[in-house]
Amino acid sequence: MSEPLYVPVLPVRRHAVTAYRWLSAVDRRTIAPLWNLPPWPGADTPALAAKLRKGLGSVSRVQRHRSAWIDAPFADEAQVAVLADILREYSELSPLRPVTGPERSPLQQTASLSAAAHSGRGIGVRVRVTREWDAGTTEAVRFLLARAEPTVRADLLLDMDAVLGDRPDAGKEALRALDALVPLTPWRSVSVLSGGFPQVTAETLERGTREEPRWDWAMWHEVALSRRAYAPSLSYGDYGTLPADAIARVPRPDQKGGPDWGFLRYTADRAFVMVKVLHSGDEKIPLNRAAARGLVESPDFRGPLASVGESWLRDCAHGNGSTGGFETWLSVGNAQHFAFVAHTLRSR
C-alpha cells in the first residue's frame, strides 16, 4: 500500500481551506485531507448546484497539486442526484477522489463508484464506528467493493468518530474493525480517523485557560503499537481542532450576532490547550493579546517558525496585527495543529 502520513477530516469551509493553504510544501507532501461538504437542507436544485460548485472549486484550487478525498456524507437522495454529475466532473479535472460507504444509499454508492471509474483516481470507502464494531459491516463493505470496476483502487477510511474520555475501548474497537476489513481487498491505503477535540462552552473556559487530553492521539498509539502485521502501514487521521460533529453543522452565511467570546487553540504533545478571547468589547484587544502571550510563553510553544499559526500567535502576543475573530482563530488553531501532527508523524 502507498499511503499519506496524515489524513485530517475537514469541512469545506473557508477557515479550513485557509489553514491548509498556509501549510508549507513539506507538510503538504505528507497530508491528504478528507474534505466534507456540509449539509444544505431544503436547497433547491439551482442553489444546491451553485453551492456544490463553489465548495468543490475552493478545495480543488488548494488541492490542485496533491490528492485528497471529497465526501458529501449528509446529502439526501435529491442532493445526490445533483451531486453525481458535478462530482464526476471534479473527480476527472482535479486530484479529488470520491468517497462512499457501506451505509450510503445505492444511488450515492453508484454515483461515487461511477466517478471513481471515470477518473481513474480511485475511491475512498469510509466506514464509521461510532461505538462498538458491528461485525455485519464486513459483509456490507465486501458487497460494496464487489460493485466497483476491477481497475478502481480503494482506500479504507476507518472513521472512529468522536474519541473522548467516554470511549476507553475505542482502540480495541478500531483493531476489531481493522482485523475484519483489511483482508477484504488489497487496499491502496488504510487510515484510522478520530476526533479528540472537546466541545467547548463558556463554563469550560470560565478560568481563562483549559487543557484537555488528546484522547484520539492516545487511541492511535494503541492501534499503531499493536503487533498487527498491517500496523506499520496505517495512516493517522483526526478532525483537527474541531469537535467531530462540526462537519455536520449547517452553514448560516446570513447569521448575525453570536457569542462575544471565542478561544485560541494550541496543540501540545498530549493535550489541547484552549484560552478564552473576546470577539467584542472594550477589553478585547488587551485580553486577546494577553491570551496569545500566555501560549507563546508556554514551554509547549514551538516557536514562530513552526507554522503560520505560531507566527500569528507571536505577532498577536507582541502587539502586531489584528487580534482576530472567529474565522481567524479557527484557521490559526488548525494551521498549527496540522503542521505539528505532520512533523510528529514524519519524525516517528
Side-chain angles (χ1 to χ4, degrees):
M1 294 181 294
S2 61
E3 64 280 330
L5 290 178
Y6 179 31
V7 182
V9 182
L10 305 179
V12 178
R13 303 285 180 90
R14 188 164 60 181
H15 66 79
V17 172
T18 297
Y20 180 80
R21 190 176 63 243
W22 282 348
L23 288 169
S24 69
V26 172
D27 288 335
R28 287 196 199 189
R29 281 199 292 270
T30 61
I31 295 176
L34 169 55
W35 294 98
N36 292 262
L37 290 161
W40 285 298
D44 59 27
T45 297
L48 178 62
K51 292 176 186 295
L52 287 170
R53 289 190 178 279
K54 181 178 179 180
L56 285 166
S58 67
V59 171
S60 64
R61 284 190 295 272
V62 79
Q63 290 287 169
R64 61 186 178 275
H65 300 305
R66 299 287 170 194
S67 295
W69 293 276
I70 186 74
D71 195 7
F74 313 106
D76 59 25
E77 289 292 278
Q79 292 172 350
V80 168
V82 177
L83 177 64
D85 290 339
I86 299 174
L87 181 63
R88 185 183 177 102
E89 173 188 338
Y90 275 90
S91 296
E92 180 180 8
L93 299 177
S94 72
L96 297 176
R97 301 167 179 167
V99 174
T100 189
E103 82 291 352
R104 309 295 175 89
S105 70
L107 180 61
Q108 196 278 341
Q109 293 177 352
T110 299
S112 299
L113 290 169
S114 174
H118 186 71
S119 70
R121 302 184 191 279
I123 193 164
V125 178
R126 188 174 188 175
V127 180
R128 296 183 70 240
V129 181
T130 58
R131 281 295 166 186
E132 295 182 356
W133 167 245
D134 180 358
T137 305
T138 306
E139 285 307 307
V141 174
R142 192 194 308 275
F143 180 75
L144 173 60
L145 292 170
R147 297 183 59 199
E149 294 289 335
T151 57
V152 172
R153 300 293 306 277
D155 302 289
L156 175 59
L157 304 165
L158 178 64
D159 189 350
M160 300 300 293
D161 201 62
V163 174
L164 302 171
D166 62 347
R167 291 184 71 185
D169 294 330
K172 295 180 178 61
E173 295 303 318
L175 288 169
R176 289 181 63 201
L178 291 167
D179 288 346
L181 297 173
V182 168
L184 292 181
T185 193
W187 301 98
R188 178 170 51 187
S189 69
V190 178
S191 304
V192 181
L193 322 173
S194 58
F197 201 82
Q199 299 287 348
V200 179
T201 65
E203 291 74 23
T204 304
L205 299 176
E206 61 183 3
R207 297 185 180 179
T209 302
R210 178 81 172 233
E211 291 191 13
E212 290 288 339
R214 293 173 63 193
W215 298 107
D216 58 333
W217 190 235
M219 184 208 75
W220 161 251
H221 281 84
E222 181 179 348
V223 173
L225 295 177
S226 69
R227 297 188 177 183
R228 303 307 204 268
Y230 54 72
S233 297
L234 297 176
S235 300
Y236 168 77
D238 62 29
Y239 283 69
T241 55
L242 285 172
D245 63 1
I247 62 170
R249 292 174 187 165
V250 178
R252 299 178 63 185
D254 300 325
Q255 183 180 14
K256 296 182 180 180
D260 60 1
W261 64 275
F263 57 100
L264 300 177
R265 304 153 165 84
Y266 200 71
T267 307
D269 186 40
R270 290 183 173 82
F272 293 111
V273 183
M274 296 156 279
V275 58
K276 186 176 181 179
V277 289
L278 296 179
H279 187 255
S280 59
D282 295 339
E283 297 299 313
K284 172 185 174 180
I285 292 177
L287 187 145
N288 291 6
R289 296 206 187 281
R293 196 156 51 247
L295 293 177
V296 168
E297 293 174 354
S298 164
D300 292 314
F301 188 68
R302 293 177 286 277
L305 299 182
S307 77
V308 172
E310 273 90 355
S311 65
W312 186 92
L313 289 169
R314 183 272 315 270
D315 290 345
C316 181
H318 293 170
N320 300 319
S322 168
T323 60
F326 295 121
E327 187 171 297
T328 299
W329 300 331
L330 285 166
S331 296
V332 167
N334 267 332
Q336 60 81 30
H337 178 85
F338 297 160
F340 177 51
V341 172
H343 174 79
T344 302
L345 293 171
R346 286 197 304 270
S347 301
R348 67 176 180 172

